Amino acid sequence: MVSGLTGENQAAGISTSCQVVLQVLIILTGNYNFFNLLTIALCISILDDKCFSRASEDANKKPGSIFRLVGFGISVLATGLVLGIGAHYTVKLFSLEHNPDFTIKSQIAFTEKQFHDWLEMIMPWTMRLGAASLAFEIFKAINMSRKLKSGWVMKGLSQFQIMFFGIIAAAMFSISLVPFAALDKAAQRSLPQPIVHLHSQLRPFHLTSPYGLFRRMTGVGGRPEVIVEGSYEANRGWKEYNFLYKPGDVSARPPIVAPHQPRLDWQMWFAALGNYQNHRWFVTLLYRLLTAQPEVLELMGDNPFPEKPPNYVRALLYHYHYTPSTPLNSSQKKDWWERTLKAEYIPVLAKNDSNLLEFLRHNRILEEPPPSETTPLSKAVKWIRQLIGQPEGFRFVMSLFTSAVLLRHLTAFLPV
């Protein structure tokens, strides 16, 4: 990743390499769909074009490129050092151990106080390093503008532009420190009051924010999951609806999802974090199960009511705990999860329930859909869908990706 980097691009190459390695590790240990791939794409975009051009490789082979070779060696050494230190402390701080059954055991080896003490120590240094890096880039740009082979008017205009945008960049960096310092109270108190005041004045414009995907950890006390059940009788005979990807059956092995993103399973996770009043689509889902709508059932696992739909449905809230260390014997079925019933998510509903029907009418769910236009393409898509059914998401995405790579390489051998 850092080949071809020289001088000012070394820091970008090192940070990109570290971030890419982090994203790959997250891909290997979690199912975050395509978000990590998007982050890797954004990281690669900060690299210089020379990193991907053969011209820079040829330049390194020319005589007198000793400085390029030294810069390349320093960048590789720095990258290896950063990654090595990161790997060492990851193993140490999380007590990573490799088990004989090819699983990894981990346990947090630091206290909450130690973590906050570390934040209090490191936060001021990160802010100083960011300020120094920005100042260095601004002064470097000013120095480069002085070496332009042009008249004094163009030089003056260039320096004015650099100073103008440099002031804007410094202001943006300053106000961005306010949401950044929210990680530590001591860092918040250390910020100058004019910066805090400027941030509060510009907050309506959303120039900066503490946004971070999944920046707040959920499920620490158990992963909340909504389990949907159906029955022909209101007080007994309840059977669970299993989904294709989200936890349900405690003995079902967690599937590989990334880079596929199952829309329904993804929304079920958000529904479990709140209530059905804030997720009205969930009530519609239950109604579709009562009417056995094929398009909805195809998004789920095996239908527990294959002959006719249930008369009643309900939803319960469970907390799931991952149990990968459960022993697996020939006479014992392994449970990947342990779950505890927490509450009733939604009460028992029937197809002819007056409140349910009123809700559906209010949200225009029961209205007849407009007739869809039938074209040869739509007929072909429906025919293919009926032929292959509902493909498994991960295999389908990887099949498309593999086919595209093979076609790309096969076309290279075709005569032009």
Side-chain angles (χ1 to χ4, degrees):
M1 184 64 66
V2 293
S3 60
L5 292 177
T6 58
E8 64 274 6
N9 296 320
Q10 292 179 7
I14 293 173
S15 60
T16 300
S17 302
C18 295
Q19 191 62 239
V20 168
V21 170
L22 174 63
Q23 297 304 317
V24 171
L25 292 175
I26 295 176
I27 291 174
L28 294 176
T29 57
N31 285 322
Y32 289 98
N33 308 321
F34 50 81
F35 294 120
N36 304 109
L37 300 178
L38 293 178
T39 304
I40 291 175
L42 290 174
C43 290
I44 295 176
S45 66
I46 69 174
L47 296 176
D48 193 275
D49 293 343
K50 296 179 181 179
C51 301
F52 308 100
S53 63
R54 296 181 179 178
S56 61
E57 297 178 2
D58 296 336
N60 288 335
K61 298 178 183 179
K62 295 179 181 179
S65 60
I66 183 66
F67 294 104
R68 295 179 180 269
L69 293 176
V70 171
F72 171 72
I74 293 175
S75 63
V76 171
L77 180 62
T79 302
L81 183 63
V82 171
L83 294 178
I85 294 175
H88 168 73
Y89 279 101
T90 299
V91 174
K92 179 180 179 181
L93 296 176
F94 295 94
S95 300
L96 298 183
E97 297 181 5
H98 182 265
N99 298 323
D101 58 350
F102 299 101
T103 60
I104 297 177
K105 180 181 179 182
S106 65
Q107 185 178 1
I108 297 178
F110 55 89
T111 64
E112 185 176 353
K113 183 179 182 305
Q114 289 175 327
F115 176 73
H116 287 293
D117 290 343
W118 177 80
L119 270 182
E120 186 174 350
M121 177 194 69
I122 202 68
M123 286 292 293
W125 287 103
T126 57
M127 293 188 289
R128 293 167 190 164
L129 181 62
S133 176
L134 177 61
F136 174 77
E137 293 295 331
I138 294 175
F139 284 116
K140 184 179 67 174
I142 294 176
N143 184 53
M144 292 177 63
S145 67
R146 295 174 56 188
K147 298 179 181 179
L148 292 176
K149 295 180 180 180
S150 56
W152 62 272
V153 176
M154 294 302 300
K155 286 184 179 181
L157 180 61
S158 176
Q159 291 186 7
F160 173 77
Q161 290 177 335
I162 294 173
M163 294 179 64
F164 176 76
F165 288 107
I167 293 173
I168 295 178
M172 287 290 297
F173 173 80
S174 299
I175 63 175
S176 68
L177 292 178
V178 177
F180 175 72
L183 293 171
D184 180 63
K185 294 182 179 179
Q188 283 183 311
R189 292 191 297 266
S190 65
L191 291 177
Q193 286 303 312
I195 293 179
V196 177
H197 179 70
L198 179 62
H199 175 267
S200 63
Q201 294 295 320
L202 298 176
R203 182 178 296 176
F205 300 100
H206 300 282
L207 299 178
T208 62
S209 70
Y211 170 79
L213 196 60
F214 311 117
R215 63 191 298 264
R216 293 187 181 275
M217 186 64 66
T218 59
V220 176
R223 172 174 175 151
E225 289 291 344
V226 175
I227 302 300
V228 179
E229 297 180 338
S231 176
Y232 293 118
E233 301 182 36
N235 55 358
R236 63 176 181 175
W238 293 97
K239 297 180 181 179
E240 292 185 15
Y241 281 92
N242 287 316
F243 290 72
L244 293 172
Y245 303 99
K246 86 175 194 69
D249 182 5
V250 294
S251 62
R253 181 193 296 268
I256 298 176
V257 180
H260 173 60
Q261 180 169 350
R263 179 72 175 175
L264 179 57
D265 298 65
W266 187 248
Q267 291 299 319
M268 287 293 292
W269 178 42
F270 289 106
L273 297 175
N275 52 60
Y276 74 89
Q277 289 89 346
N278 295 328
H279 300 275
R280 298 185 176 184
W281 61 266
F282 184 76
V283 182
T284 307
L285 170 66
L286 297 183
Y287 178 74
R288 300 306 183 189
L289 297 180
L290 288 170
T291 58
Q293 184 168 335
E295 294 83 356
V296 174
L297 292 174
E298 285 183 357
L299 299 175
M300 305 177 67
D302 296 333
N303 183 11
F305 305 96
E307 297 182 359
K308 66 175 184 177
N311 298 325
Y312 304 94
V313 292
R314 69 180 183 183
L316 304 176
L317 180 65
Y318 285 86
H319 277 191
Y320 277 68
H321 295 271
Y322 188 51
T323 57
S325 58
T326 304
L328 180 60
N329 303 322
S330 58
S331 59
Q332 180 183 2
K333 189 176 182 180
K334 179 174 182 177
D335 287 340
W336 292 86
W337 302 93
E338 291 180 353
R339 71 181 188 181
T340 305
L341 178 62
K342 288 296 181 180
E344 181 183 63
Y345 188 81
I346 194 170
V348 177
L349 296 177
K351 182 180 178 180
N352 56 355
D353 187 286
S354 59
N355 293 328
L356 174 61
L357 295 177
E358 179 62 26
F359 171 85
L360 296 174
R361 292 192 187 96
H362 179 73
N363 290 275
R364 300 181 179 180
I365 303 299
L366 296 181
E367 293 182 356
E368 289 293 332
S372 58
E373 298 182 1
T374 303
T375 62
L377 178 60
S378 64
K379 291 182 179 179
V381 171
K382 290 181 180 179
W383 178 78
I384 295 175
R385 180 65 179 271
Q386 292 175 356
L387 188 66
I388 65 176
Q390 176 73 12
E392 198 278 324
F394 175 75
R395 294 173 184 171
F396 179 73
V397 173
M398 295 309 296
S399 298
L400 290 179
F401 176 77
T402 305
S403 301
V405 172
L406 289 176
L407 288 175
R408 174 67 178 84
H409 286 278
L410 287 176
T411 53
F413 297 98
L414 297 177
V416 180

